[in-house]
Amino acid sequence: MRATDEVVDIVSRLIRFDTSNTGRPETTVGERECAEWVAAQLEEVGYSTEYVESGMPGRGNVFARLPGADPNRGALLIHAHLDVVPAEADDWRVHPFSGAVQDGYIWGRGAVDMKDMAGMALALARQFKRDGTVPPRDLVFAFLADEEAGGTWGSHWLVDHRPDLFEGVTEAVGEVGGFSLTVDRPDGEVRRLYLVETAEKGLSWMRLTCDAQAGHGSFLAAENAVTEIASAVARIGAHQFPLVMTESVREFLAALSEETGLDFSPETPDLESALFKIGNLARIIGATLRDTANPTMLSAGYKANVIPQHAEAVIDCRVLPGRQEEFERTIDELIGPNVQREWITHLPAYETTFDGDLVDAMNAAVLAHDEKGRTVPYMLSGGTDAKAFARLGIRCFGFAPLQLPPDLDFAALFHGVDERVPVESVLFGTKVFEHFMHNC
Ligand SMILES: [Zn+2]
């Protein structure tokens, strides 16, 4: 049995575990069952696994290690989270936890985020064990809880409390990268760019508060917390941060310009809009050109004729690598002296270079299975478990290979309705991943 013989069934089976992560631990229930099933599949072929609950009952994580030829080389971590965001079944064409395989797709919540990669990793781990494969270096397979709520009860807990699980790991691959973007070349040919994630924006949620004199709504008011917060929020919401291209973005746009013959240089007027010429992926790429600070929550007051003494707001801040200090300086100017700020969540940005043996192995694996392929680095506007592993000094990449149909709006499937992944993409990805792991 080859990994490609069972990977579709495995992905479908993984989707049938409802591992919805609501963000509230008491209603997040499916992870244990799913993790135990993954462990059983690994043990069935001879792995000894470690099941670890990350700080809370039911937050199940599974680890297995396949020894490599050279124990002196650092291990490669292959990680996938098993939790998914919730889904409203009524909105879907198929039940989101059916794992239906129809019309050439595997359907369901997690199909692209990220039970596809979890399934590919599991199927390949099983094949390697059955075949007695010895990879060039140790492979550590990790199936994780709680990514969709930031990894507090998953990757971050494991890094803080069980760093031994990652002993000797120097590099890692996980989501969100390795998928193809088809572009038309000026010579009439197509090129498939495989986007390898080499960077992630920082994810920081900021609470703004203002405390001022409370008073009667009919009086002259020297202070007003609502006005202060509203002004600060309005200034932040209207502010555009400067265009700053980090190396990952610069390299990606240079490759895009080269392949399409279009101009995506930093000087392009309204570059964000111009990027939509490549399709909806522009929603992600465009968001990696600047820091952003989007007001998302606002609250104050309890009665129409009372000026409250307290008002607050929450701002979703996404900060580019190397920009944190400058970003905070700007925010302080925008909020002024009467508004205080604090981080509710603060996960720094991450960036690594697109070079070295592991990148060469990704390149070779893609080219071996797609002669029109080319790997390019890119930055993710969101966050993944890589942020946790980077804290251990692990060099992280997003590489979950998928060859996608040119017209599929891949970005829309993440957390979207009718999430699904083409069967062919998963079979292709499994072969690329196999090639990669054999040569990593
Ligand atoms: Zn994910």
Side-chain angles (χ1 to χ4, degrees), residues 81 113-114 147-148 175-176 414-415:
H81 64 83
D113 186 9
M114 59 176 297
E147 194 275 341
E148 294 294 359
E175 62 179 348
V176 174
F414 281 77
H415 301 191

Side-chain angles (χ1 to χ4, degrees), residues 166-248:
F166 307 97
E167 204 185 312
V169 172
T170 54
E171 292 172 307
V173 292
E175 62 179 348
V176 174
F179 53 89
S180 65
L181 166 70
T182 305
V183 296
D184 294 316
R185 288 176 45 86
D187 61 10
E189 296 286 306
V190 299
R191 177 78 72 207
R192 274 180 291 273
L193 302 176
Y194 288 82
L195 277 63
V196 176
E197 191 213 286
T198 50
E200 292 184 2
K201 282 179 106 174
L203 183 164
S204 300
W205 295 337
M206 183 172 66
R207 181 181 287 118
L208 301 180
T209 53
C210 180
D211 290 283
Q213 186 75 45
H216 197 289
S218 73
F219 296 169
L220 292 176
E223 299 182 2
N224 187 315
V226 177
T227 308
E228 290 284 353
I229 280 287
S231 306
V233 165
R235 283 192 296 270
I236 290 173
H239 185 75
Q240 187 180 49
F241 288 84
L243 184 85
V244 178
M245 282 196 194
T246 72
E247 197 49 38
S248 303

